[in-house]
């Protein structure tokens, strides 16, 4: 690791247009700066040497959460601590509050942003599975073809992740909005993070589940998303689909766990082996579903 | 850039690759903010940035422009030692002391927003501050005692 | 027992050194800055084992701001307290990834870091050896082919043509006959990984070699006087030219035992005659400083059917990495404790300390005992389980009592280990009806309890000298060279002086060690400071008291023998004389006398070296420490996650001096050891430390910390300890891991014989039990099975 950060040019953007221009005027090694909790570590420890850094926090209006009739607009520069506090107790969004609260330490959560968490492209990003389950859409701003104005596009979050460290925002585009459609009255969500420590840790496996159950006890909607078990966070579609129309008993939950495990493509590293990660997906998906079905309190040290 | 540290305005030329920790320690001589890991993993360099606890080793100094910063030196107002500092000494919360300034600042942020925390809330708040000498419980004892003292009540163990 | 009434010793007074730390005002070593100071950076080997063909620093030297640059050829010296095997900077060959290959000093860190990128090194890679068992084999690849030609200290047994830098053995009784007669013989194998000190402040030093020949070194070192001696020896300097100043520093745990950063800073400063600072960054602290020895330990015991252990054999390997450092002594210290705190008539211990191409190992809180105690205390539970005896009863049945003979042959006395076991067990409700599952009733959460009892020696012999100055206003200044790295020796000596002279604690100052005026203490290690430096402080205060008595006698024209110092005054037996310090100094004949100087010395000179063939001695160590801990855990049997619910830690301290300090050391030591029980492991992959951050090397956070119940046992004061005190710092870290492993077994029936008890490893063991019925397997991360044999006659 380096004691001193390598030198770079520093720019402060005051508007999205300016930010996009700065990122493009500079060469490909320009990096946007949000909370900085990942990029500064990458520069010190992992050899990242951006030629320039464009601070996005000087752009007004990107760090707040607005509640509209159709859903929530979360500014990408909203820090994890704010996300955690805002969504705590919001029906349907429990998992988002849990996952934002599960990031690093309080100091890190006061700095790290939800947009940074997504754009960093880490497979283990805590908020990604929750946002996937909530059906989040993200808006990206980039240069228009003639580079004279902004072009924006809105994509589903599951189209956003491309690979480890790679997202739809990787090439000079800026995440400008994270939209969560209003969760239905019946939606319940939960995020289970498996890591040795209760705090200050990276997810060995992150599991988020969201379900809606009708009066008859039948599942009418089920979404399962996984972190740290594939090159990107992703939705385990088949595992979700297999429980729709069923009563959530232990066997059904276990079957969904097995399907989610089968959909995982984990790696082995210092944190865990691939086999262990896959097995934890099975266990935690089943556990998450059972807890949502109200059959059992969740026993994860990081709920 | 200019920023305010412990109520004092500073106007400095700062290079983009200097961290807030670098500037506090090496430019302003505020060595109460400790360098533990430089990676945001240990909390020894915690300061309050606009009242919020942050690891100053992973904040660019330029990013703190026109903000208010509180370091451990700022807690001793006009010679008066902060109740948290007093309680740390009295309740055995200090051993080698290298983690103490960061711990105290996080706890100040906690007590500023939650003047009567539970032990569990205290232990949760300092989870990003590693201590290798002690067992964390005496730090929680001190924080709870300081909270009680600040609320005008009796200190309790 | 009779309680001695003390006024300062044993009280709950706050530590004298805390406030300047809480205010941030105290300047630590890495806070210091000296005018003109340069910053050093070290280029480190990227090869685990290679011949160095060429190191070229010329381009680095030409960089702006670079003032000095050195290579191994220029640094030129080898050092090593036990074996002189380690060059300051690698010469000819590198033996681990992280070994210094060159160093530069520049006007700032950025310039120094930029210069490192311009140093050219050509390596010719050599085959490397990483596995300690392979390294211990007869035909192993050699890390030090010239081992036998190195200078070494007395009493070491390196193996010619091997990687063995030292071996140690203990022989007592007739082992084979005892095994043959035993009703049962059990043998198990255990491993522990290399672990880290993780001081929150990394190692740092500043060296200033003046052109006139004076060398001053400021270092966060656990041994300023030893560092001075080693620097004199390494650089061929006379003692009068070297001064070591030890500023405050942030945690030691054995990792700051001299020397490692200092000689590079000195060599650079000698080249440019400017002050040079070398402070490690966090990655260097992990990958290129010192670790605890990884171990492989086999324990074999012969037991009667009613549960008495009649014979024990321990064979073990300690992995010292690329250089011996203090490994040979770690080996000895673990060997003398390897049979545990039990009364066993026939014992045999064979330990070897071997080189591998990994980051060197050295002293780390416990000094070899945590490795063997994890083995023998897990083994004890495995036997108790097989015999169907309660683990607490099985331990008490075999525990040492006054008159028992321990491993190295000493007849022990004044010990309270039996009470420690009982108190610890009872504090967590041992034997009470268990709540086997979580209160919430999740069927996959299982609870269990475990216990462990252990022993550790403070080896000695060692010498401590203390100087005390007392002024007429009853204030005092204490000069020591024992180093307060957070453990609280400053408070201990303050209380010893306050108690002896009856002066207020608030008026006592303890000066930072400086070899130019602080009296000798070799090192602050081995839990020795309270015992040795505390004794010397008490003697120094008694020296002052004696002087006051003589002065009062002269002043009064009385016989000194008719007077005595007690309760803060010189008194006569009939009570007619009562002269306090202020009544003697500055008064009458002593009107111009403002201050007295007292000196005290303690040497544990009663230590007798162990016999080289049998490891036996009637007095092998300065003193023994005993402790027992009991742990309750909750295991998630689907994920393998172990949650520690509470820990009761009972410690035979003799007499608590700083009561709050004892609690700090117990609670802190338990948290330290819980990390090592659950998660801590230096993962070395092909010689490279794969987890060199505090994120991936996981020590406990506050959020993971369970209830910890400190139990201070003062039943058995040590006859030679100051006020009866024994040591404490290291023994706390010794019983925790086996107690946790035993509790996991109690909860799940799964036995893990390899530390740490990571979720993945615990789950593997649980699944093995599930699949194989009663069979108990330890599953390592790599999936290989540790051997376990059980032989019934």
């Amino acid at each position: 690791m380096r004691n001193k950060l390598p030198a770079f040019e520093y720019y402060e953007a005051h508007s999205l247009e300016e930010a996009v221009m700065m990122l493009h005027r500079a060469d490909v090694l320009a990096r946007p700066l949000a909370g900085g909790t990942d990029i500064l570590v990458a520069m010190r420890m992992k050899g990242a040497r951006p030629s320039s850094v464009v601070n996005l926090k000087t752009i007004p209006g990107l760090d707040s959460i607005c509640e509209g009739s159709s859903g929530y607009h979360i500014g990408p520069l909203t820090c994890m601590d704010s996300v955690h506090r805002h969504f705590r107790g919001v029906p349907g969004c429990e998992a988002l509050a849990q996952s934002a609260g599960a990031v690093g330490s309080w100091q890190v959560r006061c700095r790290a942003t939800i947009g940074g968490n997504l754009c960093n492209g880490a497979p283990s990003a805590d908020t990604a599975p929750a946002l996937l389950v909530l059906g989040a859409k993200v808006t990206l701003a980039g240069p228009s073809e003639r580079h004279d104005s902004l072009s924006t596009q809105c994509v589903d979050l599951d189209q956003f992740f491309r690979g480890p460290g790679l997202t739809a925002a990787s090439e000079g585009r800026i995440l400008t909005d994270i939209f969560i459609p209003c969760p239905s009255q019946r939606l319940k969500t939960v995020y289970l993070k498996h890591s040795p420590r209760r705090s200050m840790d990276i997810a060995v496996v992150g599991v988020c589940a969201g379900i809606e159950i009708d009066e008859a006890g039948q599942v009418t909607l089920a979404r399962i998303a996984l972190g740290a078990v594939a090159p990107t966070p992703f939705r385990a579609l088949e595992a979700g689909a297999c429980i729709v129309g069923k009563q959530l008993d232990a066997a059904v939950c276990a079957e969904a766990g097995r399907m989610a495990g089968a959909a995982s493509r984990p790696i082995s590293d210092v944190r865990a082996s691939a086999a262990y990660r896959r097995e934890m997906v099975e266990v935690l998906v089943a556990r998450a579903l059972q807890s949502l079905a109200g059959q059992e309190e969740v026993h994860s040290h990081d709920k | 850039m200019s920023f305010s540290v412990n109520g004092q305005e500073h106007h400095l030329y700062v290079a983009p690759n200097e961290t807030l920790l670098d500037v506090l320690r090496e430019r302003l001589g505020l060595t109460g903010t400790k360098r533990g890991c430089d990676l945001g993993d240990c909390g020894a360099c915690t300061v309050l940035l606009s009242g919020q606890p942050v690891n100053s080793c992973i904040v660019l100094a330029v990013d703190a422009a026109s903000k208010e910063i509180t370091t451990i030196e700022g807690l001793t107002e006009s010679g008066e030692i902060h109740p948290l500092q007093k309680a740390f000494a009295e309740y055995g919360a200090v051993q080698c002391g290298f983690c103490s300034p960061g711990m105290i600042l996080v706890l100040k942020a906690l007590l500023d927003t939650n003047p009567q925390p539970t032990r569990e809330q205290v232990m949760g708040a300092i989870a990003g501050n590693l201590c290798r000498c002690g067992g964390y419980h005496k730090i929680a004892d001190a924080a709870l005692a300081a909270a009680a003292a600040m609320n005008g009540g009796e200190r309790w163990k | 027992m009779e309680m001695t009434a003390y006024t300062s010793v044993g009280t709950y007074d706050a530590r004298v050194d805390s406030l300047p730390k809480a205010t941030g005002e105290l300047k630590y070593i890495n806070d210091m800055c000296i005018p003109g100071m340069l910053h050093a950076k070290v280029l480190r080997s990227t090869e685990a084992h290679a011949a160095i063909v060429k190191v070229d620093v010329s381009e680095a030297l030409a960089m702006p701001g670079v003032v000095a640059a050195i290579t191994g050829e220029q640094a030129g010296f080898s050092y090593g307290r036990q074996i002189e095997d380690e060059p300051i900077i690698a010469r000819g060959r590198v033996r681990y990834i992280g070994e210094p290959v060159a160093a530069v000093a520049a006007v700032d860190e950025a310039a120094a870091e930029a210069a490192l990128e311009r140093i050219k090194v050509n390596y010719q890679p050599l085959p490397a050896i990483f596995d300690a068992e392979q390294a211990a084999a007869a035909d192993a690849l050699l890390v030090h082919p010239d081992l036998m030609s190195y200078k070494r200290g007395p009493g070491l047994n390196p193996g010619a043509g091997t990687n063995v830098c030292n071996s140690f053995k203990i022989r007592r009784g007739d082992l084979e006959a005892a095994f043959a007669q035993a009703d049962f013989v059990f043998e198990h194998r255990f491993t522990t990984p290399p672990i880290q000190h993780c001081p929150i402040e990394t190692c740092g030093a500043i060296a200033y070699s003046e052109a006139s020949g004076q060398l001053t070194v400021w270092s966060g070192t656990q041994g300023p006087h030893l560092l001075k001696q080693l620097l004199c020896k390494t650089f061929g300097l006379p003692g009068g030219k070297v001064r070591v100043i030890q500023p405050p520093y942030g945690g030691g745990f054995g990792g700051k035992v001299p020397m490692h950063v200092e000689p590079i800073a000195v060599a650079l400063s000698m080249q440019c005659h400017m002050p040079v600072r070398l402070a490690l960054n966090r990655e260097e602290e992990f990958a290129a400083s010192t670790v605890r020895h990884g171990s492989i330990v086999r324990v074999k015991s012969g037991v009667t059917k009613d549960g008495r252990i009649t014979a024990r054999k321990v064979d073990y390997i300690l992995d010292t990495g690329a250089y011996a450092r203090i490994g040979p002594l770690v080996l000895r210290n673990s060997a003398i404790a390897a049979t545990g705190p039990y009364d066993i008539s026939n014992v045999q211990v064979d330990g070897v300390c071997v080189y591998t191409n990994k980051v060197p190992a050295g002293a780390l809180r416990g000094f070899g005992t945590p490795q063997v105690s994890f083995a023998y205390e897990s083994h004890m539970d495995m036997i108790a389980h097989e015999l169907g005896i309660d683990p607490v009863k099985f331990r008490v049945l075999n525990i040492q009592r006054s008159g028992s003979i321990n491993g190295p042959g000493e007849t022990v006395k004044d010990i309270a280990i039996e009470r420690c076991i009982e108190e610890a067990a009872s504090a967590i409700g041992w034997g009470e009806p268990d709540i086997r599952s979580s209160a919430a009733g999740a069927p996959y959460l299982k609870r269990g309890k475990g216990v462990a009892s252990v022993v550790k020696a403070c080896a000695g012999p060692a010498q401590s000298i203390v100087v005390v100055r007392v002024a007429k206003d009853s204030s005092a200044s204490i000069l020591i060279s024992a180093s307060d790295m957070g453990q609280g020796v400053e408070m201990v000596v303050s209380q010893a002086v306050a108690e002896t002279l009856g002066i207020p604690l608030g008026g006592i100052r303890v000066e930072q060690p400086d070899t130019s005026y602080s009296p000798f203490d070799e090192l602050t290690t081995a839990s020795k400071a309270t015992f040795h430096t505390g004794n010397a402080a008490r003697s120094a205060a008694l020296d002052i008291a004696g002087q006051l008595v003589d002065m009062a006698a002269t002043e009064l024209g009385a016989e000194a023998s008719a007077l005595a110092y007690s309760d803060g005054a010189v008194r006569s037996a009939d009570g007619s004389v009562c002269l306090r310090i202020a009544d003697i100094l500055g008064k009458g004949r002593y009107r111009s006398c403002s201050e007295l100087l007292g000196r005290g010395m303690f040497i544990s000179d009663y230590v007798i070296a162990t016999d080289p063939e049998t490891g036996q001695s009637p007095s092998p160590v300065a003193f023994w420490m005993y402790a027992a801990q009991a742990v309750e855990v909750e295991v998630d049997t689907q994920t393998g996650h172990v949650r520690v619910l509470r820990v009761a830690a009972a410690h035979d301290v003799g007499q608590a001096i700083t009561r709050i300090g004892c609690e700090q050391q117990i609670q802190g030591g338990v948290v330290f050891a819980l990390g090592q029980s659950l998660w801590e492991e230096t993962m070395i992959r092909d010689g490279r430390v794969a987890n060199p951050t505090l994120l991936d090397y996981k020590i406990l956070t506050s959020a993971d910390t369970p209830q910890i119940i400190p139990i201070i046992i003062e039943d058995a004061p040590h006859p030679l300890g100051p006020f009866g005190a024994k040591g404490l710092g290291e023994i706390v870290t010794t019983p925790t891991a086996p107690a946790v492993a035993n509790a996991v077994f109690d909860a799940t029936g799964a036995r893990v014989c390899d530390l740490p008890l990571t979720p993945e490893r615990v789950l593997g063991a649980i699944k093995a039990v599930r699949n194989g019925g009663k069979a108990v397997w330890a599953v390592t991360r790599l999936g290989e099975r540790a051997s376990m044999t059980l032989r019934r006659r």
Side-chain angles (χ1 to χ4, degrees), chain C residues 346-364:
Chain C
N346 305 282
V347 296
Q348 178 175 324
V349 179
D350 284 284
V352 292
C353 188
V354 300
Y355 291 117
T356 55
N357 290 111
K358 290 187 290 197
V359 57
L364 197 158

Side-chain angles (χ1 to χ4, degrees), chain A residues 1 3 201 273 276 279, chain C residues 113 283 639 698 760 767:
Chain A
M1 77 179 267
N3 289 20
D201 219 336
S273 72
Y276 180 77
E279 189 172 347
Chain C
E113 285 191 317
E283 184 183 28
T639 66
K698 297 178 202 302
E760 186 163 1
K767 284 161 70 179

Side-chain angles (χ1 to χ4, degrees), chain A residues 119-144:
Chain A
C119 292
N120 195 41
S124 59
D126 281 307
T127 57
L131 289 169
L132 285 168
V133 162
L134 289 169
K137 295 175 189 302
V138 293
T139 306
L140 297 164
S144 64

Side-chain angles (χ1 to χ4, degrees), chain C residues 36-102:
Chain C
M37 184 174 83
L38 303 176
H39 298 262
K41 282 294 294 177
V42 177
L43 183 74
R44 298 184 179 278
S45 172
T46 52
E47 297 288 331
H49 197 191
I52 300 174
V53 180
K54 194 178 173 202
V55 184
D56 182 358
V57 295
S58 54
E59 267 190 49
L61 259 176
M63 296 273 288
V66 176
V67 179
I70 51 168
T71 65
E73 297 306 323
Q74 292 159 297
F77 313 95
S78 280
Y79 70 102
R81 264 173 79 200
Q82 297 297 316
I83 299 176
E84 290 187 16
D85 58 1
E86 184 166 11
I88 292 168
I89 294 177
R91 258 179 302 159
R93 196 189 266 228
V94 287
R95 294 183 174 85
Y96 70 98
I97 292 173
E99 182 166 3
V101 175

Side-chain angles (χ1 to χ4, degrees), chain C residues 280-301:
Chain C
L280 299 185
N281 64 33
R282 186 53 65 181
E283 184 183 28
E284 292 175 303
E285 185 71 41
F286 273 109
S289 62
T290 312
V291 298
R292 174 187 282 169
H293 291 79
S295 73
I296 302 124
V297 185
R298 284 171 197 278
V299 192
K300 182 178 175 185
S301 296

Side-chain angles (χ1 to χ4, degrees), chain C residues 193-204:
Chain C
I195 63 134
Q196 301 275 343
H197 305 85
C198 297
I200 308 299
E201 183 179 39
T202 58
C203 293

Side-chain angles (χ1 to χ4, degrees), chain A residues 146-163:
Chain A
R146 286 164 51 209
H147 286 258
D148 55 356
S149 64
L150 277 188
S151 92
T152 60
Q153 70 179 122
C154 185
V155 297
D156 285 343
L157 186 61
D158 47 11
Q159 304 299 308
F160 178 77
F161 301 109
R162 303 278 163 84

Side-chain angles (χ1 to χ4, degrees), chain C residues 463-545:
Chain C
Q463 177 194 22
S464 291
I465 311 176
V466 170
V467 168
V468 176
R469 289 159 49 199
V470 175
K472 61 184 177 188
D473 65 354
S474 289
S475 66
S477 157
I478 306 177
L479 293 175
I480 56 172
S481 290
S483 171
D484 201 323
M485 61 205 91
Q487 87 283 29
V489 66
E490 290 188 7
M491 183 65 178
V492 167
V493 295
S494 298
Q495 285 176 287
V497 169
E499 182 70 48
T500 307
L501 290 175
I503 59 176
L505 196 63
I508 298 177
R509 245 187 85 81
V510 183
E511 310 299 337
Q512 285 302 132
D514 180 335
T515 59
S516 63
Y517 54 78
S518 301
F520 185 82
D521 224 312
E522 188 185 40
L523 271 172
T524 307
T525 53
S527 311
K528 79 187 237 296
T530 292
F531 193 89
H532 290 78
T533 317
N535 257 322
R538 186 168 167 270
S539 296
L542 286 173
D543 183 15
I544 299 266

